[in-house]
Amino acid sequence: MRILLYNPDNGVTRNFMPHLWMFLLKTLTPAGHEVLLIDGNARPMDETQLVRFIRKEKIGLVGIGAMTRMIARAYRMADAIRAAGVPVVMGGPHVTEVPEEALGHDGGPRHADAVALGEADQTWPQIVLDAARGQLKEIYAPLDETGKERKPSLQPYPEIAWDKMDLDQFDLVPKPFRPILRRQGSGWGSVHMIPIESGRGCPYGCEFCTVTGFFGDSIRFRTNESVVDELLRLKRHARKNRKQVMVFFIDDNFAINIKRTKSLLRDIIAANAQLPWIAQISANLLRDEELVDLIAASDGKWIFIGMESIDSVNLADVNKNFNKPSEYSAVLNRLAARGIYAITSFIVGLDNDTVGVAERTLREIESWPPGLPIFGQLTPFP
Ligand code: B12
Ligand code: SF4
């Protein structure tokens, strides 16, 4: 069977990085099936174009993954694909919370033949086998023999063959410039941001975030060796093909277990596996000078920090009072002193925000070292 894994575009921005789920499920697909990937952010298509592609490539199953923000588009694409007679299975954070919506059990139209709930590492091979036999079930849930949810341990972790995949659609250098830059021999003819996970789960349970609910509060890590091997393979591939490769450790809180993060960073340095990297780390964990030294030595360039608010009352209200606005400036200066910069993320519209909050937040940001502040509106996800 030929399978297409499709991630819809968000209609606003061109994502700077492909989604890990597609590469992971491709790697976990049982032998004998071929998997094609399309990310709408990198390769935009409307319904007609996607259906034409599916017919031309003789696709027998389409898997769609989406966050809430992209779900309306995901459903429209799914409807067109199903109307063309190809079954659709959907997964990811949105349909996990409201599977009845995707399956049309809430009184609305049906969009998917099957839904994969939660982490699909273990259910995906079964979904493929059932689809190949024409016997898709409606719901696939990762349960153990007693009916309890089973989370993948991440040990062992599948080897994603980045070096053997066609990553052309995810190149950050616009196509017309690639040949010119390649001819110049600058090594910047091709630039990729690669998503890597070193662990899953976060126990903090901030009220606005779906991560603790989805991945659970039990944290799981890959072995250091498995992460280092992945980096070394990527580094070799980048050198051989004269590409620039950067890594985004997509863990929700890369330093949630500081001891383990330090040991991973030490192993990366010892193996000379450094590639420029970005990760998400909460401000409270960046008090640790040794951790910040290791981030710099392992080539950490940008740290995404969920500041959320400069108001402690707001933070307490959303269960994130481990964030201390009074120490934000010190944390950012500690990073900047080592040439590491921060993507500082804020939520606007928290319950205690009052008139003038944006102005106050901007004034505070202006007192910090340069970085990339980003702002989102408080959004109730299902
Ligand atoms: C990296 C990341 C980003 C990256 C970009 C995404 C990318 N290219 O990877 C950046 C930083 C840009 C980003 C931005 C945003 N993100 Co984000 N992001 C993440 C993060 C941290 C990791 C995603 C990941 O790769 N996880 C690891 C993989 C393995 O897990 P997974 O994607 O869930 O896939 C598994 C299952 O869901 C399932 N599955 C998934 N898809 C499919 C499809 C099929 C067919 C099947 C069978 C199974 C399946 O199988 C996989 C393996 O088990 C998650 C949190 C998290 N830990 O997942 C938030 C998360 C996905 N983001 C979230 C949000 C809200 C956003 C933003 C809207 C924030 C904002 N206000 O702007 C933007 C929107 C981006 C956009 N495209 O428009 C929310 C989504 C909640 C929801 N219900 O929609 C999450 C869950 C975090 C949270 N705070 O709750 N994000
Ligand atoms: S620390 Fe980050 S990932 Fe963890 S629950 Fe809070 S916002 Fe979500």
Side-chain angles (χ1 to χ4, degrees):
M1 188 168 56
R2 280 165 74 80
I3 303 167
L4 172 67
L5 297 180
Y6 174 74
N7 201 94
D9 40 317
N10 65 31
V12 182
T13 53
R14 182 189 186 275
N15 254 11
F16 58 84
M17 180 175 74
H19 290 261
L20 179 61
W21 72 267
M22 313 173 100
F23 300 93
L24 197 55
L25 295 192
K26 179 177 164 84
T27 308
L28 293 168
T29 302
H33 303 280
E34 198 183 339
V35 181
L36 283 69
L37 308 180
I38 293 187
D39 186 328
N41 294 293
R43 201 172 163 188
M45 288 190 194
D46 63 19
E47 287 92 320
T48 315
Q49 290 165 324
L50 187 62
V51 168
R52 202 178 299 139
F53 175 89
I54 287 168
R55 288 216 173 98
K56 185 173 143 255
E57 295 293 337
K58 299 191 172 36
I59 301 291
L61 173 70
V62 179
I64 303 183
M67 303 180 201
T68 301
R69 179 170 165 177
M70 281 73 94
I71 202 68
R73 182 147 177 80
Y75 286 156
R76 278 205 303 280
M77 292 307 217
D79 294 348
I81 298 164
R82 293 181 76 235
V86 179
V88 170
V89 50
M90 295 186 81
H94 183 85
V95 297
T96 295
E97 296 302 335
V98 281
E100 63 282 3
E101 181 187 271
L103 292 169
H105 295 337
D106 63 347
R110 182 169 186 148
H111 307 287
D113 295 275
V115 163
L117 302 183
E119 295 173 61
D121 311 51
Q122 278 145 7
T123 48
W124 175 246
Q126 191 59 49
I127 294 172
V128 173
L129 297 178
D130 287 356
R133 288 192 310 229
Q135 290 176 5
L136 266 181
K137 293 198 246 330
E138 275 201 328
I139 292 193
Y140 290 85
L143 303 177
D144 66 15
E145 308 68 39
T146 65
K148 260 185 58 204
E149 190 179 4
R150 185 190 357 225
K151 301 264 180 214
S153 77
L154 308 189
Q155 294 188 20
Y157 189 81
E159 199 173 289
I160 301 179
W162 298 107
D163 46 341
K164 297 193 182 72
M165 290 193 203
D166 176 7
L167 298 176
D168 213 43
Q169 65 176 306
F170 304 112
D171 199 328
L172 292 173
V173 179
K175 228 177 191 154
F177 296 114
R178 290 178 207 164
I180 311 166
L181 289 166
R182 272 185 204 133
R183 267 199 308 277
Q184 281 179 348
S186 63
W188 285 89
S190 177
V191 178
H192 283 99
M193 174 81 80
I194 302 288
I196 294 187
E197 59 181 342
S198 84
R200 287 186 197 167
C202 176
Y204 287 170
C206 305
E207 201 189 38
F208 53 83
C209 175
T210 66
V211 166
T212 308
F214 187 90
F215 287 98
D217 53 10
S218 68
I219 313 161
R220 292 147 287 147
F221 297 118
R222 291 168 64 180
T223 61
N224 288 358
E225 193 188 0
S226 138
V227 179
V228 170
D229 279 354
E230 188 164 359
L231 291 172
L232 284 173
R233 276 187 286 118
L234 272 171
K235 199 169 173 176
R236 272 197 301 271
H237 176 66
R239 279 229 180 104
K240 193 168 144 214
N241 297 287
R242 301 181 62 77
K243 286 177 175 205
Q244 299 296 325
V245 171
M246 292 169 276
V247 164
F248 193 134
F249 287 112
I250 55 95
D251 306 37
D252 291 294
N253 205 336
F254 186 56
I256 189 70
N257 178 333
I258 289 200
K259 208 168 143 210
R260 180 249 108 168
T261 309
K262 286 182 182 172
S263 108
L264 173 61
L265 297 180
R266 281 193 198 101
D267 284 1
I268 290 173
I269 297 163
N272 194 21
Q274 291 102 319
L275 281 169
W277 61 265
I278 302 179
Q280 314 182 99
I281 301 180
S282 54
N284 57 322
L285 302 171
L286 293 164
R287 285 176 200 137
D288 191 311
E289 297 274 349
E290 190 186 26
L291 175 70
V292 182
D293 282 339
L294 285 166
I295 291 175
S298 59
D299 224 2
K301 297 286 184 218
W302 287 85
I303 304 296
F304 183 110
I305 307 176
M307 301 289 196
E308 326 304 2
S309 175
I310 53 164
D311 175 356
S312 313
V313 181
N314 260 334
L315 291 163
D317 205 37
V318 293
N319 204 24
K320 195 157 184 171
N321 49 3
F322 55 86
N323 261 14
K324 306 282 178 223
S326 56
E327 65 178 13
Y328 286 173
S329 169
V331 162
L332 298 174
N333 281 310
R334 187 171 301 129
L335 292 173
R338 287 144 176 106
I340 307 163
Y341 290 88
I343 303 168
T344 47
S345 170
F346 296 88
I347 303 177
V348 182
L350 289 167
D351 284 351
N352 293 288
D353 276 347
T354 50
V355 173
V357 61
E359 196 52 50
R360 283 194 298 279
T361 308
L362 280 180
R363 272 205 304 275
E364 185 76 18
I365 291 171
E366 277 162 6
S367 72
W368 294 342
L372 175 64
I374 60 170
F375 307 91
Q377 265 181 298
L378 183 65
T379 307
F381 290 117

